[in-house]
Amino acid sequence: MKVSGTTILTRKTLVSRRFGSEAWRGFFRDVALANPWFRQPITASSLVPLPEFLTFHDELVRRFYSDGQDALFELGAESARWALVDGPLQRFVQDPEISSLVATTQSIWHRYFAETDSRSEATLKDSGIEFRVRDLPVWHPYFEHFVIGYTKEMLEIYCANPVWAHRLTGARGTAYGYLLTTDPVPRAPPITDRSGARHDRLLRPRKSLTARELEVLRLVGTGKTNREIATVLRISAKTVQHHVAHAYDKLGVYSRAGATLWLAERGLLG
C-alpha cells in the first residue's frame, strides 16, 4: 500500500499555519535525518510507502497533535477543509447532490491510497450515510480516527446540517463501519457483521462508566478540552485522555459530539 503525497502537502500547510513555517522545517529535517526516504522531493503525485508514511504520521502526531483520538479526528477534519476547499482537491467534488456526494465519498479512498486491496464503501441510508472500510493491511489510528474525521468533514462542507459520527462495527481490526448522520438521534441500520452486535448499541453503553469517567465525560460535554479538564480535576492531561478513551469505548461513540448527545439523552449535561 502507498499513500498519496497530497497528504504530506496537507500536513505542511496545516502545521505551518498553526505552528509556523520554522516548526515544519524543523520537524521535516528531523524526519529526513531519521529516514532517508524523505530526503527526495515529495509532490502531490508522489506515492509514499505505507511504513514510511505511518512513521512520519506518528511523529507528527506525537509532536503537534498529542491529545489522542480527538486530535486525530480534528486533524482529519482540518485536512478535509484545506484539501477540498483551498488545496489540490478543490475540484474533486463535481456535484454536491447527495447521491453524487455519497459516490464521491466512496471513491476518495483510492485518491489517497494506491497499490492496495483495501477499499471504502458508502451507502445512503434513511438515517445518514453508512461508511465502511474493508481489507486494511493493518489497523492504525490513522486509518480509522483520521479517516472518519476527514469523511465527516467532507460531508459537512457540502451539507447545511451538522454531521454526527457513530461507530457501527470494528475495533482495531482490518474493517470497520460508521454511521455518518444528520439525525441527532439516529436509528442504527441492521448489523450484518458476524459480531452479532445489537441494533441499539449506538445509544446503550456496553459497560458501565466509572464515577470518574462520567465526571470527565460531563466536562467533555461542556466543551472543555482535555487540558482544561485536567486543570479542573487536578489530574494530568494524559489521565484525562485515558478516561475519555475508555468512556468512548464503553459507550460505542467516537467523537465529542457523540458523547455530548449521549449525555443530553440522559439529562446529564449541565
Side-chain angles (χ1 to χ4, degrees):
M1 185 179 198
K2 293 185 177 179
V3 183
S4 169
T6 299
T7 59
I8 307 294
L9 288 173
T10 301
R11 303 305 184 277
K12 175 183 179 180
T13 299
L14 298 182
V15 169
S16 297
R17 284 179 175 178
R18 185 170 177 179
F19 302 99
S21 59
E22 284 306 309
W24 173 257
R25 288 172 62 86
F27 162 72
F28 209 90
R29 179 195 61 231
D30 294 343
V31 169
L33 288 173
N35 189 331
W37 193 93
F38 288 94
R39 298 176 190 177
Q40 62 186 292
I42 301 173
T43 69
S45 61
S46 299
L47 291 177
V48 187
L50 183 61
E52 277 72 18
F53 174 78
L54 291 181
T55 299
F56 164 90
H57 171 83
D58 288 345
E59 177 59 22
L60 182 140
V61 169
R62 185 194 69 79
R63 193 173 298 198
F64 299 112
Y65 300 92
S66 59
D67 287 339
Q69 294 181 4
D70 281 330
L72 280 182
F73 189 87
E74 181 55 34
L75 178 58
E78 288 181 6
S79 297
R81 286 194 293 271
W82 179 75
L84 294 166
V85 177
D86 300 316
L89 299 186
Q90 57 184 292
R91 294 182 179 85
F92 189 79
V93 177
Q94 298 293 327
D95 182 0
E97 193 272 328
I98 187 61
S99 60
S100 297
L101 187 58
V102 170
T104 303
T105 301
Q106 177 170 299
S107 66
I108 201 168
W109 184 268
H110 288 292
R111 176 60 181 79
Y112 279 100
F113 304 116
E115 300 180 20
T116 178
D117 293 327
S118 64
R119 65 193 187 280
S120 65
E121 301 170 354
T123 307
L124 184 61
K125 302 289 186 178
D126 290 339
S127 52
I129 294 173
E130 187 176 321
F131 180 80
R132 294 183 179 275
V133 170
R134 303 188 187 276
D135 299 324
L136 289 170
V138 64
W139 187 87
H140 188 279
Y142 170 78
F143 285 126
E144 182 173 344
H145 307 313
F146 176 91
V147 167
I148 291 300
Y150 188 108
T151 307
K152 173 182 175 293
E153 187 65 22
M154 179 178 174
L155 296 176
E156 286 205 327
I157 288 172
Y158 297 99
C159 294
N161 324 53
V163 176
W164 287 269
H166 300 277
R167 182 191 279 137
L168 297 175
T169 59
R172 296 177 178 256
T174 58
Y176 63 81
Y178 275 75
L179 180 65
L180 303 174
T181 178
T182 54
D183 181 354
V185 188
R187 292 182 61 189
I191 301 297
T192 57
D193 289 40
R194 295 181 180 179
S195 61
R198 296 181 56 175
H199 293 192
D200 62 355
R201 69 181 294 184
L202 294 182
L203 302 179
R204 185 171 300 177
R206 293 173 289 194
K207 297 179 182 178
S208 298
L209 299 178
T210 66
R212 181 61 109 181
E213 287 167 351
L214 180 57
E215 184 179 26
V216 169
L217 202 67
R218 294 184 72 174
L219 290 171
V220 168
T222 67
K224 293 187 182 298
T225 66
N226 285 1
R227 290 190 178 91
E228 289 170 338
I229 295 171
T231 300
V232 171
L233 299 181
R234 297 183 180 180
I235 57 179
S236 70
K238 186 174 182 179
T239 299
V240 173
Q241 179 181 325
H242 173 83
H243 288 312
V244 170
H246 276 264
Y248 281 8
D249 185 63
K250 289 179 178 181
L251 299 181
V253 302
Y254 167 69
S255 67
R256 288 177 175 253
T260 302
L261 174 61
W262 186 90
L263 291 165
E265 288 168 348
R266 288 153 181 81
L268 297 174
L269 281 179

